[in-house]
């Protein structure tokens, strides 16, 4: 700790050093300009004898020696100078003063070669040398007044909000690896986002245009197909991602042990769509499968019901639809168990409908409340229970949907080792509510079928996941052991909360192990910033008063990527976290960088893509005939069953007629 005595002693030493520097310079002037000093009557015997003694020491053995010695003492004196800090003082000005002073101080000898009077030459030499000396003194003093504010030029604190990131390429048979560039303390470095364990799920967040599909999702598709994954792709804007999957499949399908087949579902272009029955009876093993299917389709068509599950007027339609699905599943071993047949059977009159449903003992508990209300003539209650389901399901009663949903060209067991598949299903932003509900049914059935032991590794990719009503949580939680990779594309966490409710949305956001976040704002940005955590950052504070200006530095933990930075990310710039494996630890899990895409190569690749193939020519008459055949099937079922019951006295009691 400094004391007043120490400061006073230091000042005396500095003053003495500066005085020695000036004295040496004056002796140099006296010797080199002796003739001028004589002319000015400033020479004396005393000074001459003193000069002779000094010369004898060797100080003036060369012309530059005394000047350099004077300069050295001046530098020593300047080292200990503590000038009053000035925030406006800059290095540039101080260095300019010192450089100019050195030039004048060291080149002033040229004035001695001028052929003029001795007095004139001496004055010119001493003026130039003295000016140089004073400029060096002023520049050195300025250096001591400069505030070393290392953060002054970093007004957004970008240099402090950087941290070391993974620069190794860590690859395995399941990984997706994305090259990046990132900034560390002002220097651009190369790194890698190593998604080595996507079985712990990946959520890709970002507002429209942030680059979710172009920079991340497309690479998940291409790298996983290249590594032999079965795949399901939900393509919100069909066929953007489907084309990528199809062409990658064409390129790498021969590398699979069993060559996979490619299937697509496209409700807008039937010629490029395969047909698939999401209520395939072979995969509907018990009543709970029917319950899940009914819940999925109704919640998909009525998104507000998601937040009201458990209410009487939500559960009643679900039970009603469940009963119809299970009846068709049991009738003739599921020959007519398709969603179009379910919709048509729902429209039957109550006498016939309840009579048919009453023949299946497994659904007695489900339909008894409806039959009781019907017999008691509780029309308002019955319509409240059933009409919402009938009206809702009528939205998807179109010939095009009936055509796709009533066929059975492939099954949803995409990860069957003996018959792997790559399946793409497309939505249409203009028809989200209708198509989304049907596709939700497909995805829910698929998730239950594939989540089994001893299956092929498979990758699930959902673009704009909130447009589906899919219960993805069990798959994320338990699918890891069954080699199921899940990628969810979401614009914002608030979008997920809006469609799924806060509790379910928070569970999804919290259980995923990998996160890639582009430009988002609000609560989502805060959530991501907290997940990434804090780093040690330097802080500086500037204090100015009448007598002194000082700067204080401290170190404290601050957000590595604050919400404001996340809200201002550029397209292709992502922050996030990666999950690791027990056998491959990743210490630097957090990242903040720009994903490197070879835009020219990707453009050429996209230009060379083949469109989705035309599967068959579709005649509108065929679609219409299929639509009418389904209606006819239901009519025949009702007529045959009613006739069977009427002709058998032991079954006639099952016939329900309103009194």
């Amino acid at each position: 700790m400094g004391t007043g005595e120490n400061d006073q002693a230091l000042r005396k030493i500095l003053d003495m050093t500066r005085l020695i520097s000036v004295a040496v310079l004056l002796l140099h002037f006296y010797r080199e300009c002796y003739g001028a000093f004589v002319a000015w009557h400033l020479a004396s015997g005393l000074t001459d004898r003193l000069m002779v003694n000094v010369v004898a020491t060797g100080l003036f053995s060369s012309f530059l020696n005394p000047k350099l010695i004077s300069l050295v003492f001046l530098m020593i004196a300047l080292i200990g100078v503590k000038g009053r800090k000035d925030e406006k003082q800059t290095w540039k000005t101080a260095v300019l003063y010192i450089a100019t002073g050195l030039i004048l101080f060291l080149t002033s000898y040229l004035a001695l070669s001028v052929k003029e009077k001795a007095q004139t030459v001496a004055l010119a030499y001493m003026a130039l040398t003295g000016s140089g000396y004073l400029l060096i003194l002023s520049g050195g003093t300025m250096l001591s007044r400069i505030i070393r504010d290392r953060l002054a030029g970093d007004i957004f604190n970008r240099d402090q909000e950087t941290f070391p990131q993974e620069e190794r390429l860590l690859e395995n048979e399941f990984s997706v690896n994305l090259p990046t560039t990132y900034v560390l303390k002002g220097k651009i470095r190369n790194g890698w986002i190593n998604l080595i364990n996507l079985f712990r799920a990946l959520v890709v967040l970002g507002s429209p245009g942030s680059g979710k599909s172009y920079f991340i999702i497309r690479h998940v598709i291409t790298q996983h197909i290249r590594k032999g994954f079965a795949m399901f792709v939900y393509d919100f804007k069909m066929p953007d991602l489907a084309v990528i999957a199809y062409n990658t499949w064409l390129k790498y399908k021969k590398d699979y042990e069993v060559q996979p087949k490619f299937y697509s579902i496209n409700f807008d272009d039937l010629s490029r769509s395969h047909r698939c029955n999401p209520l395939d009876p072979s995969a509907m093993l018990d009543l709970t499968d029917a319950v899940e299917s009914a819940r999925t389709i109704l919640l998909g068509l009525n998104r507000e019901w998601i937040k009201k599950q458990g209410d009487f007027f939500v559960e009643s339609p679900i039970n009603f639809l469940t009963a119809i699905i299970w009846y068709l599943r049991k009738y003739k071993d599921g020959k007519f168990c398709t969603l179009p047949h379910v919709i048509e059977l729902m429209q039957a009159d109550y006498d016939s409908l309840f009579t048919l449903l009453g023949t299946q003992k497994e659904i007695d508990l489900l339909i008894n409340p409806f039959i009781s209300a019907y017999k008691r003539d509780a029309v308002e209650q019955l319509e409240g229970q059933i009409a919402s389901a009938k009206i809702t399901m009528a939205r998807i009663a179109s010939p095009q949907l009936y055509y796709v949903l009533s066929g059975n060209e492939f099954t949803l067991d995409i990860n069957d080792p003996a018959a792997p598949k790559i399946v793409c299903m497309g939505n249409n932003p203009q028809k989200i509510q209708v198509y989304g509900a049907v596709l939700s049914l497909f995805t829910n059935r698929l998730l239950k079928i594939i989540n089994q032991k001893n299956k092929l590794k498979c990758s699930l990719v959902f673009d704009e996941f909130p447009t589906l009503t899919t219960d993805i949580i069990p798959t994320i939680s338990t699918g890891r052991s069954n080699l199921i990779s899940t990628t969810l594309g979401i614009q914002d966490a608030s979008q997920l909360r809006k469609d799924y409710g806060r509790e379910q949305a928070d569970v999804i956001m919290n259980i995923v192990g990998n996160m890639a976040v582009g430009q988002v704002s609000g609560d989502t940005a805060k959530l991501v910033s907290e997940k990434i955590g804090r780093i040690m950052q330097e802080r500086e504070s500037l204090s100015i008063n009448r007598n002194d200006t000082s700067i204080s530095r401290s170190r404290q933990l601050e957000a590595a990527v604050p919400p404001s930075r996340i809200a201002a990310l550029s397209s292709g710039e992502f922050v996030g976290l990666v999950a690791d494996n027990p056998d491959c630890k990743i210490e630097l899990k957090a990242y903040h960088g720009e994903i490197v895409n070879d835009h020219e190569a990707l453009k050429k690749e996209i230009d060379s893509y083949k469109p989705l193939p035309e599967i068959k020519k579709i005649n509108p008459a065929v679609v219409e005939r299929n639509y009418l055949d389904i209606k006819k099937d239901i009519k025949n079922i009702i007529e045959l069953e009613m006739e069977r019951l009427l002709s058998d006295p032991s079954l006639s009691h099952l016939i329900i007629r309103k009194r």
Side-chain angles (χ1 to χ4, degrees):
M1 182 175 179
T3 64
E5 291 79 8
N6 289 337
D7 291 343
Q8 187 176 6
L10 179 61
R11 281 197 297 271
K12 287 182 179 180
I13 293 172
L14 294 177
D15 291 343
M16 178 62 69
T17 306
R18 198 160 37 244
L19 183 61
I20 293 173
S21 173
V22 173
V24 171
L25 188 62
L26 289 176
L27 288 174
H28 171 72
F29 286 157
Y30 187 78
R31 181 176 185 276
E32 298 300 330
C33 304
Y34 184 74
F37 277 89
V38 171
W40 292 331
H41 306 291
L42 294 177
S44 67
L46 178 63
T47 55
D48 289 347
R49 286 194 298 274
L50 176 63
M51 196 66 202
V52 170
N53 292 330
V54 172
V55 170
T57 64
L59 177 64
F60 294 98
S61 59
S62 71
F63 179 81
L64 282 177
N65 266 7
K67 295 180 75 173
L68 293 176
I69 292 171
S70 174
L71 190 61
V72 168
F73 276 101
L74 177 60
M75 294 299 181
I76 294 172
L78 289 175
I79 290 173
V81 171
K82 293 184 178 180
R84 181 176 180 272
K85 301 295 182 182
D86 183 359
E87 62 177 330
K88 296 181 181 179
Q89 198 65 258
T90 64
W91 288 93
K92 186 182 294 185
T93 304
V95 171
L96 181 62
Y97 268 64
I98 293 173
T100 305
L102 284 171
I103 291 172
L104 290 175
F105 189 77
L106 297 175
T107 61
S108 57
Y109 71 90
L110 295 174
L112 297 176
S113 61
V114 177
K115 295 182 180 180
E116 290 289 341
K117 292 182 179 180
Q119 297 93 321
T120 303
V121 171
L123 284 174
Y125 176 67
M126 288 188 290
L128 290 173
T129 305
S131 298
Y133 186 88
L134 292 175
L135 286 172
I136 294 170
L137 179 62
S138 299
T141 305
M142 288 180 186
L143 287 176
S144 69
R145 298 171 65 187
I146 294 173
I147 298 175
R148 293 173 176 83
D149 184 3
R150 287 172 290 179
L151 305 181
D154 186 19
I155 59 175
F156 291 111
N157 199 35
R158 293 186 184 276
D159 288 344
Q160 291 295 306
E161 292 167 0
T162 61
F163 50 90
Q165 300 177 38
E166 187 58 71
E167 297 184 356
R168 298 172 298 165
L169 171 60
L170 304 175
E171 192 172 10
N172 59 34
E173 60 176 315
F174 311 117
S175 67
V176 172
N177 305 92
L178 307 173
T180 65
T181 59
Y182 73 98
V183 177
L184 180 62
K185 301 301 182 183
K187 295 182 179 179
I188 298 176
R189 302 178 68 91
N190 296 319
W192 285 91
I193 300 175
N194 297 300
L195 301 169
I196 62 173
N197 192 345
L198 279 178
F199 301 129
R200 293 170 65 178
L202 164 67
V203 61
V204 185
L205 288 160
S207 57
S210 60
K212 298 189 298 296
S213 299
Y214 181 67
F215 287 95
I216 296 180
I217 293 177
R218 70 170 293 123
H219 295 297
V220 173
I221 294 172
T222 57
Q223 293 189 35
H224 270 178
I225 293 178
R226 178 165 55 86
K227 293 184 176 183
F229 278 71
M231 181 167 286
F232 171 81
V233 178
Y234 168 64
D235 190 355
F236 180 65
K237 294 175 286 188
M238 190 80 169
D240 293 358
L241 298 179
V243 168
I244 296 173
Y246 173 68
N247 283 272
T248 309
W249 168 75
L250 288 176
K251 185 175 181 181
Y252 294 107
K253 63 181 180 179
K254 293 181 180 178
D255 297 338
Y256 285 73
E257 290 185 12
V258 177
Q259 193 170 123
K261 293 186 178 180
F262 182 88
Y263 298 98
S264 66
I265 296 292
N266 187 342
F267 299 119
D268 289 327
D269 188 354
L270 299 183
S271 65
R272 287 181 166 80
S273 177
H274 292 86
R275 303 172 72 192
C276 183
N277 177 16
L279 301 180
D280 183 13
S282 64
M284 195 164 294
L285 305 178
D286 55 46
L287 188 59
T288 59
D289 292 329
V291 174
E292 290 176 0
S293 299
R295 185 176 298 275
T296 299
I297 194 71
L298 287 177
L299 295 185
L301 291 167
N302 297 279
R303 303 301 290 266
E304 67 276 7
W305 285 9
I306 297 175
K307 303 171 187 177
K308 300 177 182 178
Q309 295 184 66
D311 289 359
F312 175 77
F313 287 104
V314 172
E315 297 301 324
S316 292
I318 292 173
N319 287 349
F320 176 66
L321 183 56
T322 300
I324 294 177
I325 293 173
W326 193 247
Y327 173 81
L328 289 174
R329 167 63 183 87
K330 300 299 288 185
Y331 182 77
K332 291 191 176 181
D333 200 26
K335 179 180 179 181
F336 302 103
C337 186
T338 72
L339 191 58
H341 286 90
V342 169
I343 296 170
E344 290 302 319
L345 183 56
M346 290 178 69
Q347 311 307 318
D349 64 90
Y350 289 153
D351 284 343
S352 302
L353 179 58
F354 290 145
T355 298
L356 265 61
L357 296 179
T359 62
Q360 289 293 336
K361 298 301 181 184
E362 294 180 53
I363 55 177
D364 273 347
L365 293 177
L366 294 175
I367 63 168
N368 266 338
F370 303 103
I371 295 175
S372 297
Y374 182 62
K375 288 180 176 179
R376 287 186 286 104
D377 203 22
V379 179
E380 291 184 4
Q381 177 187 333
L382 187 64
E383 289 300 323
Q385 292 174 289
I386 296 178
S388 56
K390 293 173 68 174
I391 294 170
T392 298
M393 295 295 288
R395 296 180 196 168
I396 55 178
S398 71
Q400 290 79 13
L401 286 173
Y402 275 23
Y403 178 78
V404 174
L405 300 175
S406 60
N408 202 19
E409 295 178 358
F410 70 95
T411 55
L412 296 175
D413 54 342
I414 62 172
N415 58 347
D416 181 359
K421 305 175 186 68
I422 293 174
V423 177
C424 296
M425 295 189 181
N427 206 332
N428 184 330
Q430 278 75 44
K431 302 174 183 179
I432 296 175
Q433 192 167 13
V434 175
Y435 288 1
V438 177
L439 292 169
S440 297
L441 178 59
F442 272 112
T443 55
N444 268 319
R445 296 301 304 145
L446 179 140
L447 292 179
K448 184 162 186 179
I449 293 169
I450 66 173
N451 198 3
Q452 300 177 26
K453 298 288 185 183
N454 303 317
K455 297 290 186 178
L456 184 68
K457 58 188 178 184
C458 71
S459 181
L460 310 176
V461 178
F462 297 92
D463 184 28
E464 302 297 342
F465 174 73
T467 58
L468 297 173
T469 53
T470 300
D471 187 8
I472 198 69
I473 295 173
T475 304
I476 296 175
S477 303
T478 64
R480 181 174 59 86
S481 60
N482 296 326
L483 301 183
I484 299 175
S485 162
T486 307
T487 302
L488 307 178
I490 303 171
Q491 290 187 8
D492 193 270
S494 59
Q495 179 193 27
L496 197 61
R497 294 191 190 105
K498 170 181 172 291
D499 292 317
Y500 280 81
R502 176 172 290 274
E503 290 184 1
Q504 194 168 357
D506 288 346
V507 171
I508 293 173
M509 292 296 296
N510 290 329
I511 65 174
V512 293
N514 301 277
M515 178 177 287
V517 184
Q519 184 187 34
V520 293
S521 57
D523 291 341
T524 307
K526 293 178 183 177
L527 172 67
V528 174
S529 178
E530 290 173 1
K531 278 182 174 287
I532 294 174
R534 301 185 174 195
I535 57 174
M536 191 67 72
Q537 298 183 23
E538 292 187 358
R539 288 287 177 264
E540 295 190 352
S541 61
L542 187 65
S543 176
I544 301 174
N545 55 45
R546 290 180 59 189
N547 300 319
D548 193 16
T549 302
S550 64
I551 187 167
S552 300
R553 294 193 179 93
S554 63
R555 289 166 61 85
Q556 59 191 42
L557 284 171
E558 296 288 350
V561 188
S564 58
R565 178 70 72 86
I566 297 173
L569 293 175
S570 301
S571 179
E573 191 177 0
F574 287 84
V575 302
L577 295 165
V578 299
D580 58 8
N581 288 325
D583 60 345
C584 183
K585 298 288 187 181
I586 299 178
E587 183 180 354
L588 303 174
K589 294 182 176 67
Y591 61 87
H592 172 202
E594 185 172 349
I595 295 176
V596 179
N597 266 0
D598 188 341
H599 303 295
E600 290 298 323
L602 282 177
K603 186 177 183 302
K604 291 179 181 178
E605 182 179 329
I606 293 170
D607 290 341
S608 67
Y609 278 169
K610 297 178 181 179
L612 293 179
E614 188 177 81
I615 299 164
K616 52 184 170 294
K617 295 285 186 181
I618 299 298
N619 189 329
V622 174
V623 177
E624 186 66 25
R625 186 168 59 252
N626 179 77
Y627 180 70
L628 297 175
D629 286 345
I630 291 171
K631 288 180 174 290
K632 186 177 179 182
D633 288 341
I634 295 301
K635 183 179 178 182
N636 290 338
I637 290 172
I638 294 173
E639 290 178 353
L640 290 172
E641 281 297 287
M642 291 299 290
E643 183 179 343
R644 182 175 69 86
L645 295 175
L646 287 170
S647 63
D648 189 342
S650 64
L651 299 176
S652 59
H653 68 281
L654 296 175
I655 298 175
I656 296 174
R657 288 192 176 92
K658 187 175 179 182
R659 295 177 182 176

